[in-house]
Amino acid sequence: MSVAARLRDAGLDGLQTAVRLIPWPTEAGLRRVGAPDETSPVLVTCNYDLTVRRLRSALAGCDAWIVVAPTRGINVWCAAAGGHMSTHQVVTALKTSGVADCVTHRHVILPQLAATGVLALDVFRRCRWRVRFGPVRAEDLPDYLASGEKTDSMRRVRFPLRDRLEM
């Protein structure tokens, strides 16, 4: 990533952190990270711009497909609890993004914090994609993708001082 892109992202991070109560949508659809192929993992997230950028940053060095679901520009946890990241949005995003044409498998990883709004069995029934709920934090994804397993620390919601100040 270029210096200009990093500076732009840092500025956006600061602005979006300062006005966190306001939805900040980015375009829904399919994104590439690295050089994904037909066996690369598929991850679904919300269309809150800060979340999408942090997810891409956390996956630097990985090859993956990201499906951005339309959630009105709200973060995963709030969108799932408020009915904006539901089974319907996930199924719609998987069907309309074109990701099914890019991979040979039908396994998708959702953020653990989406579990309050998404019924994995209903996703499978409606579009034949098998759902796994990944770690709470995006920075744990590379280790999770490498091992295929969540550790206890990947399951826990941590709220350290930095995050508290950010909120």
Side-chain angles (χ1 to χ4, degrees):
M1 185 181 285
S2 71
V3 173
R6 286 185 189 149
L7 287 173
R8 184 200 71 226
D9 280 354
L12 276 173
D13 280 357
L15 180 62
Q16 289 173 338
T17 298
V19 292
R20 215 173 211 173
L21 296 176
I22 300 170
W24 199 297
T26 188
E27 188 175 335
L30 185 61
R31 310 266 199 309
R32 292 172 177 257
V33 176
D37 62 20
E38 66 276 353
T39 63
S40 296
V42 175
L43 298 98
V44 172
T45 193
C46 63
N47 75 326
Y48 181 50
D49 185 68
L50 182 62
T51 298
V52 173
R53 287 186 301 102
R54 286 187 176 173
L55 178 59
R56 289 182 71 123
S57 177
L59 290 172
C62 297
D63 298 323
W65 299 99
I66 299 175
V67 177
V68 179
T71 61
R72 299 186 182 182
I74 302 171
N75 70 67
V76 170
W77 202 354
C78 294
H84 301 294
M85 186 163 188
S86 66
T87 302
H88 177 74
Q89 278 82 13
V90 171
V91 168
T92 299
L94 289 169
K95 286 183 174 181
T96 62
S97 67
V99 70
D101 298 330
C102 299
V103 295
T104 55
H105 61 85
R106 293 296 177 266
H107 298 276
V108 61
I109 301 166
L110 272 68
Q112 180 177 307
L113 296 178
T116 58
V118 179
L119 298 171
L121 185 57
D122 284 352
V123 172
F124 180 74
R125 286 179 181 151
R126 291 177 58 188
C127 66
R128 310 315 272 178
W129 282 80
R130 294 190 185 279
V131 171
R132 287 187 302 160
F133 291 100
V136 170
R137 301 183 73 84
E139 65 243 19
D140 291 330
L141 276 167
D143 290 339
Y144 173 73
L145 293 174
S147 70
E149 307 237 348
K150 280 194 289 189
T151 64
D152 285 338
S153 68
M154 289 179 189
R155 289 178 165 79
R156 287 199 180 95
V157 176
R158 299 182 301 270
F159 202 46
L161 181 60
R162 178 177 182 248
D163 291 350
R164 292 169 194 240
L165 292 172
E166 188 176 295
M167 292 303 289

